[in-house]
Amino acid sequence: MKKTLALAMILTGLIASGYTLKMVFYRSDKVPSGYQTWAEQTVRAAMVYLTNKQAADGDLPYQLTLDDGQIDYRSSTCSVRNVAAVGALYNSYRLLRDQNLLEAANKGLKLCLDDYLIARGELLYLASDDRAALGGQALLVDAIYKMYLVSDPASFRSMNDNQIVQRLGQAMIEMKRTDGVRYFYHSLKPSTGEVDPEEFVVYFDGETLMSFWELYEMTGNEYWKNEALGLNQYMQTLPVNEDHWYAYSVRLMSRHVPVDNLSLARVGLILQMIEGNHAGHLRPAASTISTSTKLEAMTAIRVALKNWGQEEPVWLEPRIQEYIAWIAAHQLPKNICGWKEDQVPTILYGGILTSCEKEMTYVRIDGQQHFVNGLITYLLG
């Protein structure tokens, strides 16, 4: 390809004048009703897999293996992956309006808020064993945001009556670095405020950027918009990777600010990287968890392009549907991995195998949530 996708997008993507904020969710007019029905059934099966195994206290199953069907609960219940799954349950309710999914999401969120929040002055941290991760903070805000999207204003105000959302956000602000090494410290001890200068997780900044836009939408406070814009400016200086969390943040940003060439170039490069390795993402030994994050990135960027009035690449929607079909083909009991239906324990029905490789024949919570969130973003925007 003589011209890169990013360059083509920049040349055709001039900043639109008279931008109007869009607070509605985009639903593609290209999704046929039959596909919509199949997709909803797929989402329901994936989330019922989780809710059927939810413990009485709200704990969700971390991992089950195909060989023995044993449930692996982790002690850090509200870890990054688990709290993200709570968000996926709210997202699924937004699509399906199934009260059971809403109740399961509420139980999971209540567990995090009741048992895993630690206060340090006015700051709130999602913590386990006196460790708070920046990404956990961000994804708890994300779960609350997804709850906000399906709640009436009174319910949200009741949940947030002591400024939980704002205090979680302010705790992230307090994790900013001043030494110029990076933008944030990525973990600390809430009991003392001691930071870990060495810990670094590549996707935490993207998660945090997404949460700042969500805080802006929930509170209407320009402070969070300004924080988001500042972090986005910093992220423009970083090497580009296939960052689905950054893609989600751009999807939100596209509702609030006009298109800019740097952000357009970055999402163009993300799409180019994903497309350049699509054969690797869909190879038999590939991880459905990893491939689902590429689906999320593509669907989120597609919404951003729509909101910004930009043309999407002609290959994008067919490729999205190809990824959806490939991942869904790993959903039990029917699957492309050679496991016969009568060999699959019923407890695993609806689970998405991580891979057909023998050492990866398990279902993990992040595989469920990444796929479901990516599929729902395609359906609802």
Side-chain angles (χ1 to χ4, degrees), residues 39-99:
E40 289 179 0
Q41 292 170 344
T42 302
V43 168
R44 186 184 303 278
M47 291 294 95
V48 168
Y49 162 86
L50 290 179
T51 60
N52 280 350
K53 299 160 195 63
Q54 187 174 37
D57 66 355
D59 192 3
L60 291 167
Y62 177 78
Q63 179 174 304
L64 279 79
T65 62
L66 186 55
D67 286 337
D68 57 20
Q70 294 299 304
I71 300 177
D72 178 9
Y73 289 106
R74 296 294 170 96
S75 58
S76 182
T77 307
C78 290
S79 66
V80 170
R81 289 167 176 160
N82 287 50
V83 76
V86 173
L89 286 167
Y90 281 120
N91 217 11
S92 300
Y93 174 75
R94 186 164 68 94
L95 173 70
L96 301 171
R97 297 296 163 176
D98 182 332
Q99 196 66 25

Side-chain angles (χ1 to χ4, degrees), residues 40 188 201 238 280:
E40 289 179 0
L188 59 68
V201 181
L238 302 178

Side-chain angles (χ1 to χ4, degrees), residues 6 202 234-244 246-247 261-274 297 301:
V202 68
Y234 164 76
M235 292 192 70
Q236 301 293 359
T237 68
L238 302 178
V240 177
N241 55 40
E242 300 168 333
D243 188 346
H244 55 294
Y246 180 77
N261 284 345
L262 285 176
S263 296
L264 198 60
R266 193 172 187 86
V267 297
L269 287 170
I270 292 172
L271 289 179
Q272 183 184 348
M273 292 177 72
I274 294 172
I301 290 171

Side-chain angles (χ1 to χ4, degrees), residues 121-247:
E122 288 301 308
L123 306 178
L124 278 179
Y125 295 94
L126 178 70
S128 177
D129 298 325
D130 200 26
R131 176 184 175 273
L134 181 69
Q137 295 284 115
L139 290 180
L140 181 55
V141 170
D142 178 63
I144 295 171
Y145 172 75
K146 289 183 169 68
M147 177 264 199
Y148 161 82
L149 291 178
V150 299
S151 300
D152 62 84
S155 295
F156 177 72
R157 284 195 299 270
S158 175
M159 186 282 301
N160 196 45
D161 61 357
N162 60 350
Q163 302 283 295
I164 289 173
V165 170
Q166 293 90 329
R167 293 166 67 191
L168 287 167
Q170 201 58 47
M172 288 187 279
I173 297 297
E174 294 296 320
M175 293 172 77
K176 283 184 179 180
R177 299 183 76 131
T178 58
D179 57 8
V181 176
R182 287 189 297 272
Y183 204 84
F184 289 109
Y185 293 105
H186 282 193
S187 71
L188 59 68
K189 293 183 177 180
S191 62
T192 63
E194 179 186 354
V195 296
D196 183 344
E198 302 302 322
E199 181 165 354
F200 173 74
V201 181
V202 68
Y203 50 82
F204 276 7
D205 287 350
E207 291 173 345
T208 304
L209 179 57
M210 175 186 69
S211 73
F212 284 173
W213 284 114
E214 292 170 339
L215 280 159
Y216 174 56
E217 291 199 356
M218 284 187 283
T219 67
N221 190 333
E222 291 288 320
Y223 171 82
W224 296 111
K225 178 181 178 181
N226 292 332
E227 288 292 340
L229 291 172
L231 178 52
N232 184 63
Q233 185 177 19
Y234 164 76
M235 292 192 70
Q236 301 293 359
T237 68
L238 302 178
V240 177
N241 55 40
E242 300 168 333
D243 188 346
H244 55 294
W245 298 113
Y246 180 77

